[in-house]
């Protein structure tokens, strides 16, 4: 391979190209255009102008009938999907009403939310030694039916709902009191009959 350099300072493979592909406007898949330069090797005035000339080309673009996709469209789509993936919408809360950390709240999200002392749980109540380390109880938000359920977990300790022993899965509603260890929590629903998103 013979590496040549054009008068504008671009290096290129002399075995493949008779003249500088950057200056002549030839394009290759995977070609990198330096920031601040356009495809002809001329300086541009800003990074924004430079990004207008950068494109993402699918590997099998000829088979797909796709030519080129603007770089900034790809970046915008990526950033939008990244934002949405980081959001875990709150559906309700548990608030400590008796025991240590009075007033502390815990968010309930869609699906199953495990409760226990360990940080591996979705809801970590690490200040009460009477709560099992993992999955003492689970609270599930059913987004299809807009309902909340509580179910006893793997704990040997009893869990009470409104002073009634929890043995099976049970629907919970606003202001129900959940007692685990020496902590009492009030359940508050954000999503209910009058509001949902």
């Amino acid at each position: 391979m013979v590496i040549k350099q054009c008068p504008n300072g671009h290096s290129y493979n002399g075995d493949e190209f008779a003249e500088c592909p950057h200056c002549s406007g030839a394009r290759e898949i995977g070609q990198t255009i330096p920031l601040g330069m356009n495809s002809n090797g001329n300086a541009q005035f800003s990074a924004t102008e430079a990004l207008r000339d950068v494109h993402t080309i699918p590997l099998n673009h000829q088979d797909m009938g796709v030519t080129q996709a603007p770089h900034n469209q790809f970046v915008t789509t990526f950033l939008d999907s990244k934002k949405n993936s980081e959001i875990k919408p709150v559906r309700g809360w548990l608030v400590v009403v008796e025991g240590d950390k009075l007033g502390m709240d815990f968010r309930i999200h869609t699906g199953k939310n495990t409760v226990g002392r360990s940080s591996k749980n979705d809801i970590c109540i690490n200040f009460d030694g009477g709560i099992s380390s993992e999955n003492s109880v689970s609270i599930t938000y059913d987004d299809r039916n807009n309902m909340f359920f509580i179910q006893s977990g793997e704990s040997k300790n009893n869990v009470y709902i409104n002073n009634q022993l929890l043995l099976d899965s049970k629907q919970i509603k606003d202001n129900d009191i959940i007692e685990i260890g020496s902590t009492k929590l009030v359940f508050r629903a954000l999503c209910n009959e009058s509001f949902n998103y």
Side-chain angles (χ1 to χ4, degrees), residues 98 128 131 136-137 150 157-164 166 176-186:
E98 192 175 305
D128 186 341
I131 296 175
S136 186
V137 71
I150 189 166
N157 302 329
N158 289 335
V159 176
Y160 295 89
I161 308 297
N162 300 324
N163 293 318
Q164 299 293 313
L166 176 67
D176 280 350
I177 301 293
I178 301 166
E179 188 177 345
I180 311 170
S182 59
T183 302
K184 286 187 180 178
L185 305 132
V186 66

Side-chain angles (χ1 to χ4, degrees), residues 26-51:
R27 289 196 174 253
E28 304 175 69
I29 292 177
Q31 175 184 356
T32 302
I33 300 170
L35 189 60
M37 303 290 279
N38 66 17
S39 60
N40 295 325
N42 299 323
Q44 292 185 328
F45 296 101
S46 71
T48 304
E49 290 175 316
L51 286 175

Side-chain angles (χ1 to χ4, degrees), residues 71-140:
H71 173 73
N72 52 352
Q73 179 185 357
F74 169 78
V75 170
T76 301
T77 304
F78 172 77
L79 291 176
D80 287 346
S81 67
K82 184 84 171 147
K83 286 178 192 172
N84 291 335
S85 68
E86 292 174 357
I87 296 172
K88 288 182 72 176
V90 64
R91 302 300 183 172
W93 297 271
L94 293 177
V95 180
V96 177
V97 291
E98 192 175 305
D100 291 343
K101 311 287 184 184
L102 192 66
M104 187 172 191
D105 68 308
F106 304 93
R107 293 179 177 186
I108 298 170
H109 303 284
T110 299
K112 186 176 184 179
N113 298 262
T114 59
V115 180
R117 268 193 350 268
S118 166
S119 61
K120 294 178 183 177
N121 293 286
D122 301 297
I123 297 172
C124 175
I125 304 176
N126 58 7
F127 51 83
D128 186 341
I131 296 175
S132 293
S133 180
E134 291 184 34
N135 194 12
S136 186
V137 71
S138 63
I139 297 174
T140 303

